[in-house]
Amino acid sequence: MHDIRQIRENPAAFDAAMARRGLSSLSSEILAVDTARREKIMAAEEALATRNKASKEVGAAKARGDDAEFERLRALVSEKKAEIATLEEESKIEDARLRDMLMVIPNIVADDVPEGADESENQEMHTWGTLPTYDFAPKEHFELAGTAASLDFETAGKISGARFVMLKGAVARVHRALAQFMLDTHVDENGLTEINPPVLVRDDAMTGTDKLPKFGEDSYQTTNGWWLVPTAEVPLTYSVAEGTLAAEDLPRRMVAHTLCFRSEAGSAGRDTSGMLRQHQFEKVEMVSIMHPDESDAELERMTKCAEGILEKLDLPYRTVKLCTGDIGFGAKRTYDIEVWLPGQNAYREISSCSTTGDFQARRMNARFKPADGGKPEFVHTLNGSGLAVGRCLIAVLENGQQADGSVTLPAVLHPYLGGKTRITSEGALA
């Protein structure tokens, strides 16, 4: 959420920042509501001062026997009391209007975010690895002889409908091994603290992490009001809400492996084949709570943590900086990591690492106390996939495919698979 004081002090700069997001000037409408709110508050304060003054004078008028003045002052006190109640209620209404307006306005992007209308104008930063070559036409993950039977879309569809999959046998075990490998790497090598959070959260957690009110249709809500998390970013980030951390508690770096749920609203017809875009999936998520001075460096560190997983798996990838037309609602700067999928002959997103600055912290009132004892400040929050487990499974299967439909598995997974090194063309681990 935005700081209304900054909009007041420099509305032109705010409008220019929103123009980069493709939005028309917003400051005049925002400031009109803010002015009305402040006028109500000031009027209430003036009425309170008048009431307090009259209240003090009532006793004196009574003592000197000035009945007319006594009645006038008593009536004035009653009048101002009613006026104050009305003004306070009106100011609350204006305050809610202002908050509702600010809640649906996206974050200001960093100056170095490239201009662009859509993902085609994202800026490639670097690539890693050598794209595999084959003496046969590479297939997609669900077409391989060794994996097709273990990717059961038909049974999942019978149980849950479209965009669900039931993993079986060797593929299910490789999927589990990937998640375990990611967690172990982030905890043992990258210094993150493992968390096992709830995946049902309240409105406040979704709102504080900028998923509500704007993106309610993208998530699932239970009949009693809980939300199924679209990512572990929500519970991990919101864990510091409505509190003030000590300076020595920063940085706070967390990682969690959870189920995630997304309705995929607006994505009809996209990636309907295979398991690339599902309503239910698993992800290993990284979240950092940082001192403002360290958040930019933390984004670089977090991105390297995600890239390191792909490098250990020997999966080619590229990293891109998202442009103004593709960056997410709450992000200040975002790096997407795209893994190579031979079956599609394309790079596809497998991780998105973002810094939100203090955008989320303002929404959820998360602060820290500076070491020098100064006034509490808002923390900066960052989040990144480390990685999407299902998409990583797709990449492992497609990059390791052999002509007979078997799959050679990355060496780093072998210890997690009891020493097994491949999926045979019959679908067994061997």
Side-chain angles (χ1 to χ4, degrees), residues 212-220 227 263-266:
L212 289 179
K214 191 170 179 62
F215 300 107
E217 67 172 8
D218 294 325
S219 297
Y220 293 106
W227 294 87
S263 69
E264 295 293 346

Side-chain angles (χ1 to χ4, degrees), residues 312-313 409-415:
K312 286 177 178 291
L313 292 167
L409 299 169
V412 74
L413 294 183
H414 298 173

